Amino acid sequence: MNVYIVRHGDARAIGGAITSDSERPLSPQGESDIRLMGQVLARMESATPTLISSPLLRARMTALLLGEPYGTLPAPQLWDELAPGVQFKAVVSRLQSTGASSVVLVGHQPDMTHLIAFLIADAATEIVTPPGAVASLMLPRGAGAGAARLQWLLTPDLVRALIPTKG
């Protein structure tokens, strides 16, 4: 199964109308970054992925924007397991039960980097993922911790650096 682990895009801070962490929407920069990463994902993964998100607003927005290049998709599934404080074994168990060939998981920092480490090596591995980063892993069916293979990890800044500028 292709598993894309995504850290939500840059989000607005608490203040004004935003009174709690769970209500924080993406910032304009976060929306731009995620639209870019959605285009990259659609080029790298031709199969329509199953979108799965933390229930927090910024993660839900990220999942919806990542799915835009694929056209009309079902709404992202909301998993409480992807809310801050991820229980990695529970996520992997539920992930394996989806039966999907391609899955996009959207969550939070530091959980998404720890989930990548849990799947490819062990908890001591350190991986840096800025907002909007997408990691592509190949997870064999029925496999758990340490069995996945990291295929690539891209950040919005890296993608922009690789795209030739006009003018």
Side-chain angles (χ1 to χ4, degrees), residues 7 20 23 36 53 67 77 92 106 119 127 133 141-142 152 154:
R7 179 178 174 194
S20 74
E23 298 172 359
L36 174 66
S53 173
Q77 297 176 29
V92 173
V106 181
L119 289 171
I127 299 169
R141 292 253 179 241
W152 50 264
L154 294 173

Side-chain angles (χ1 to χ4, degrees), residues 120-146:
I120 64 172
D122 60 50
T125 302
E126 186 173 337
I127 299 169
V128 177
T129 58
V134 177
S136 172
L137 285 73
M138 175 55 71
L139 179 64
R141 292 253 179 241

Side-chain angles (χ1 to χ4, degrees), residues 1-2 48-50 52 77 95-103 141:
M1 149 185 339
N2 289 327
T48 303
T50 299
I52 303 169
Q77 297 176 29
L95 182 62
Q96 290 289 6
S97 70
T98 65
S101 62
S102 177
V103 175
R141 292 253 179 241

Side-chain angles (χ1 to χ4, degrees), residues 23-27 31 34 53-54 56-67 76 106:
E23 298 172 359
R24 294 173 52 215
L26 293 178
S27 69
E31 288 185 28
I34 296 304
S53 173
S54 156
L56 278 63
L57 178 59
R58 59 193 178 273
R60 294 190 329 256
M61 290 177 70
T62 296
L64 287 169
L65 291 173
L66 286 171
V106 181

Side-chain angles (χ1 to χ4, degrees), residues 6-11 26-41 62 65-66 130-134 154-160:
V6 181
R7 179 178 174 194
H8 66 75
D10 183 65
L26 293 178
S27 69
Q29 183 64 54
E31 288 185 28
S32 175
D33 288 349
I34 296 304
R35 281 193 169 94
L36 174 66
M37 299 310 286
Q39 293 171 7
V40 169
L41 184 60
T62 296
L65 291 173
L66 286 171
V134 177
L154 294 173
T155 68
D157 286 344
L158 178 59
V159 170
R160 283 191 181 91

